[in-house]
């Protein structure tokens, strides 16, 4: 049986304030060069501006192409014997700040739905309210102690999966969301968010041109 959630709720000034509260003023901005401190000032002086800007995007499930451009800052990994290999560098991706504000709002809508419909594994701890790595460690410790016994040994296997999020198939993800009964506006926004993205790599001598990612 599918679970159907209501239409897109009205975006409020409090929703935007909560999203901005989680945005650090010290975080580097993306291609627009607009820091979070600017948006916090705008929202404090005139709270209706961001609400009017973001509410239609949320309601119609649309993420504009102007907000899909990213800066990929290429940084040297310290203490490498050679920097002839791409593996000697790491990339910090910087998104448009107004895009991140909307992303946090969408995440706040998705979080309770994901938990209620079983989109998340029962052991998921990261990126969830009131759960952290401490909870994950506590759960693992409890499982180990529970299964230990006379003549029994318990082993743990840890996997470091790289590039998981950037390789998510948008069609499969949206299909899963629809199958779980997630509202159309959220599915549409996720599909729009994951399509037609572009990024430019910033390093010494770089041409600073955007390349298509999806």
């Amino acid at each position: 049986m599918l679970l159907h959630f209501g239409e897109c709720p009205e975006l409020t000034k409090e929703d935007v304030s909560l999203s901005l509260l989680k945005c650090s003023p010290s975080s580097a901005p993306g291609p627009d060069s607009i820091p979070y401190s600017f948006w916090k000032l705008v929202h404090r002086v005139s709270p209706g501006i961001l609400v009017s800007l973001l509410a239609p995007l949320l309601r119609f499930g649309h993420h504009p192409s102007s907000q899909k451009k990213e800066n990929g800052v290429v940084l040297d990994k310290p203490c490498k014997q050679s920097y002839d290999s791409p593996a000697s560098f790491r990339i910090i991706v910087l998104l448009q700040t107004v895009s991140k504000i909307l992303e946090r709002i969408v995440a706040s809508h998705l979080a309770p739905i994901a938990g209620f419909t079983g989109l998340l594994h029962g052991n998921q701890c990261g990126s969830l309210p009131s759960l952290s790595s401490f909870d994950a460690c506590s759960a693992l410790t409890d499982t180990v102690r529970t299964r230990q016994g006379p003549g029994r040994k318990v082993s743990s296997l840890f996997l470091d999966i790289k590039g998981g999020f950037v390789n998510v198939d948008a069609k499969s993800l949206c299909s899963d969301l629809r199958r779980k009964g997630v509202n159309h506006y959220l599915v549409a926004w996720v599909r729009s968010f994951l399509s037609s993205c572009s990024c430019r790599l910033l390093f010494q001598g770089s041409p600073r041109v955007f390349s298509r990612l999806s």
Side-chain angles (χ1 to χ4, degrees), residues 5-205:
F5 297 87
E7 294 301 319
C8 177
E10 180 181 356
L11 185 65
T12 67
K13 299 173 184 178
E14 290 72 23
D15 294 330
V16 177
S17 296
L18 184 60
S19 176
L20 285 169
L21 187 64
K22 300 176 182 178
C23 298
S24 172
S26 62
S27 296
D32 56 11
S33 300
I34 301 177
Y36 288 118
S37 56
F38 171 82
W39 293 118
K40 292 188 177 188
L41 177 61
V42 167
H43 190 62
R44 184 166 63 250
V45 174
S46 183
I49 292 180
L50 278 174
V51 173
S52 300
L53 177 66
L54 300 178
L57 302 178
L58 189 63
R59 184 167 63 253
F60 293 109
H62 177 68
H63 199 63
S65 57
S66 62
Q67 298 303 310
K68 297 179 184 180
K69 294 182 178 181
E70 310 164 356
N71 280 344
V73 182
V74 181
L75 301 176
D76 301 354
K77 292 182 179 178
C79 304
K80 290 290 183 179
Q81 293 183 351
S82 172
Y83 290 91
D84 297 332
S85 169
S88 300
F89 302 86
R90 63 190 181 100
I91 300 176
I92 302 297
V93 177
L94 304 177
L95 306 177
Q96 312 274 36
T97 48
V98 71
S99 172
K100 292 294 294 182
I101 296 170
L102 180 57
E103 287 176 49
R104 293 183 184 279
I105 293 172
V106 172
S108 69
H109 288 207
L110 271 173
I113 296 175
F116 189 73
T117 59
L119 282 169
L120 298 177
H121 191 276
N123 293 332
Q124 172 72 26
C125 290
S127 303
L128 291 177
S130 304
L131 291 174
S132 64
S133 56
F134 177 82
D135 298 282
C137 292
S138 298
L140 176 61
T141 301
D142 179 71
T143 300
V144 170
R145 290 177 176 174
T146 300
R147 299 189 177 184
Q148 279 180 329
R152 300 177 63 186
K153 295 183 178 180
V154 178
S155 299
S156 298
L157 175 64
F158 296 90
L159 300 176
D160 183 9
I161 302 176
K162 296 183 179 180
F165 289 106
V166 297
N167 290 299
V168 169
D169 183 78
K171 291 183 178 179
S172 298
L173 175 60
C174 291
S175 177
D176 289 340
L177 293 175
R178 284 193 297 269
R179 188 165 57 251
K180 291 291 186 177
V182 175
N183 190 274
H184 174 72
Y185 81 91
L186 285 173
V187 178
W189 187 89
V190 170
R191 182 172 58 247
S192 177
F193 175 76
L194 293 176
S195 64
S196 303
C197 301
S198 61
C199 180
R200 62 183 178 185
L201 297 180
L202 302 183
F203 54 91
Q204 186 174 6

